[in-house]
Amino acid sequence: MKRTVVLRFSQLSLVIICFLHELINFFTNMGHFSLLVERMLVIMRHPTPSSASTLIDRSIDSVFVAKLAVTLITVIHLLVALVLLWGLLRLVRDITTTDFRRYNKKKYICILGLVLGLCQYFFLFLVIAMGYFLSWMQEINFNADITTFALLFATSLFYLLLVDFREM
């Protein structure tokens, strides 16, 4: 049983790191909201035909859309953090249980939080942002930074998906 508790604790420690990562991102976005809106406006106003060599004008000049985008990103960070916290509390309560099926069923909330976090980084930043801005951002590469963030969630998800079996 001791080996099982160590395995469970190591799984939870990775999920705790992801939770703290999302919570810090949420508070950082809340603290720098106006700065993030200004940066979002600069990014959204840039892809004009003259500045980005595009055929059509892709620039968006709307403060409302910039605030909406920053708010959406901030709320998604909070949502992922809350789902991870809910899953962590459920798993910590039963970390020493001998009922392996019950413990494995309680992992699904943490798995959902990790999948949401992974989808957030993959779809929001890689697919949408890079697909939209790819025409004028060929010289800038954000893939390494975003992959580093997503790798933490993917590693935690893979490790949490390990099923607990009875000790032999």
Side-chain angles (χ1 to χ4, degrees), residues 16-121:
I16 289 170
I17 293 170
C18 292
F19 164 71
L20 291 174
H21 179 265
E22 287 300 307
L23 196 64
I24 290 169
N25 283 342
F26 168 72
F27 286 125
T28 302
N29 286 2
M30 289 298 293
H32 296 290
F33 188 81
S34 59
L35 177 66
L36 291 173
V37 170
E38 290 174 19
R39 286 185 183 170
M40 186 68 72
L41 276 171
V42 168
I43 290 171
M44 290 183 346
R45 288 178 181 156
H46 181 73
T48 60
S50 61
S51 65
S53 301
T54 58
L55 296 176
I56 58 172
D57 187 7
R58 289 183 161 188
S59 64
I60 300 171
D61 192 19
S62 171
V63 176
F64 174 74
V65 173
K67 285 183 180 180
L68 184 67
V70 173
T71 302
L72 178 68
I73 292 169
T74 305
V75 168
I76 290 173
H77 283 304
L78 178 63
L79 175 71
V80 171
L82 290 176
V83 171
L84 286 173
L85 179 64
W86 179 32
L88 280 169
L89 292 176
R90 287 179 54 146
L91 289 176
V92 166
R93 189 174 56 199
D94 288 336
I95 196 165
T96 59
T97 186
T98 57
D99 187 3
F100 295 96
R101 287 186 182 146
R102 183 173 143 200
Y103 186 80
N104 286 328
K105 285 181 182 178
K106 291 194 175 196
K107 286 181 180 180
Y108 290 116
I109 302 298
C110 280
I111 291 170
L112 174 68
L114 291 170
V115 167
L116 285 174
L118 194 59
C119 288
Q120 166 194 347
Y121 286 109

